[in-house]
Amino acid sequence: MVDVACLGGSATASRSHAIVKRMAKRIFDLLISCALLIIFFPLLLSLAWLLYATLGPPVLFRPVRCGRHGKPFLLYKFRSMTDERDANGELLDNQLRLTAVGRFIRQLSLDELPQLVNVIRGEMSLVGPRPLLMEYLPLYSFEQARRHEVKPGITGWAQVNGRNAINWEEKFSLDVWYVDHRSLWLDCYILLLTLLKVLRREGIGPRGHATVENFRGSGG
């Protein structure tokens, strides 16, 4: 016969282990994010001034993104595009609106630095699947939607394994792999690989495009 008490104790131990892992990751996120904000504070001020001088206010772009369990939040990024529109009042193509300064900060991923505030607020983690548009939620398969079991990250397993140079299905597969294998050691490894990728400017985006195409569902 199955020992019910033993099974109950195992389940309790498993839940306790998961709680400890989440707490350790949260402490790790807070320590690293606060340290990086202090270190990069002069750079953040300089970038804010440069963007204010070239693009005007606001210097931050705050789109709504999908967080853990599908909860929406405001993502903080430095602006990299103008608001130029055509004769019909429609925004011009992203590639046409991307400024020289915007292209530079994107190549070095400096536009992502304000997301350290999202990490400190508890809306994001340093490492996790990238936060995407809320409108994608009904388009995911059951397996793809598992990427929302964890907080979104500034960088992630998909970002160090192709970033914007791979298709959506490959990204989501890598995101789910991270969900199943996440650990502090893996996070440290991903952060190291991210630094190397940024320095080499690898996987910034598809050739001839300022941003990736929207996700339209599996196979889209």
Side-chain angles (χ1 to χ4, degrees):
M1 293 180 65
V2 177
D3 190 330
V4 176
C6 220
L7 287 176
S10 177
T12 300
S14 179
R15 285 195 296 270
S16 297
H17 181 64
I19 291 172
V20 170
K21 284 181 66 175
R22 284 199 298 270
M23 289 178 62
K25 184 176 175 68
R26 179 60 180 152
I27 292 171
F28 178 80
D29 282 344
L30 283 173
L31 290 176
I32 300 299
S33 297
C34 289
L36 290 177
L37 270 180
I38 293 171
I39 292 170
F40 288 122
F41 188 69
L43 176 61
L44 287 166
L45 285 181
S46 299
L47 289 174
W49 177 85
L50 182 61
L51 291 172
Y52 185 87
T54 56
L55 288 174
V59 298
L60 289 179
F61 177 50
R62 299 188 299 166
V64 176
R65 289 292 183 262
C66 191
R68 188 182 180 209
H69 301 318
K71 182 180 179 180
F73 71 99
L74 289 179
L75 177 80
Y76 299 129
K77 293 185 70 171
F78 277 129
R79 281 181 65 203
S80 58
M81 298 183 187
T82 68
D83 293 324
E84 292 180 88
R85 299 175 182 269
D86 60 22
N88 298 318
E90 299 291 332
L91 285 171
L92 296 177
D93 184 76
N94 290 340
Q95 187 68 23
L96 296 175
R97 295 189 294 118
L98 185 63
T99 66
V101 173
R103 184 175 292 107
F104 172 75
I105 64 173
R106 280 188 173 214
Q107 288 177 341
L108 293 178
S109 296
L110 298 176
D111 59 322
E112 312 283 359
L113 285 178
Q115 288 164 43
L116 291 171
V117 175
N118 288 118
V119 176
I120 292 173
R121 286 164 56 96
E123 298 156 333
M124 292 179 64
S125 176
L126 288 171
V127 179
R130 284 296 294 162
L132 300 177
L133 298 173
M134 291 296 296
E135 64 195 58
Y136 292 171
L137 272 178
L139 303 179
Y140 298 122
S141 67
F142 175 81
E143 185 68 9
Q144 290 170 345
R146 292 191 56 229
R147 69 193 303 277
H148 297 299
E149 292 177 12
V150 298
K151 290 180 184 179
I154 295 179
T155 186
W157 190 235
Q159 279 60 53
V160 298
N161 283 282
R163 198 176 177 181
N164 292 335
I166 58 177
N167 63 40
W168 285 111
E169 282 71 25
E170 291 171 315
K171 286 182 187 178
F172 296 151
S173 178
L174 291 167
D175 287 341
V176 174
W177 185 93
Y178 172 80
V179 170
D180 290 335
H181 297 85
R182 63 191 185 276
S183 69
L184 280 184
W185 292 113
L186 180 58
D187 283 5
C188 290
Y189 179 60
I190 291 173
L191 288 172
L192 176 60
L193 288 180
T194 299
L195 177 60
L196 295 176
K197 291 281 185 179
V198 168
L199 293 177
R200 295 170 182 169
R201 302 185 185 184
E202 294 178 0
I204 299 299
R207 189 184 299 270
H209 296 274
T211 57
V212 295
E213 293 186 1
N214 285 350
F215 177 57
R216 296 182 176 84
S218 295

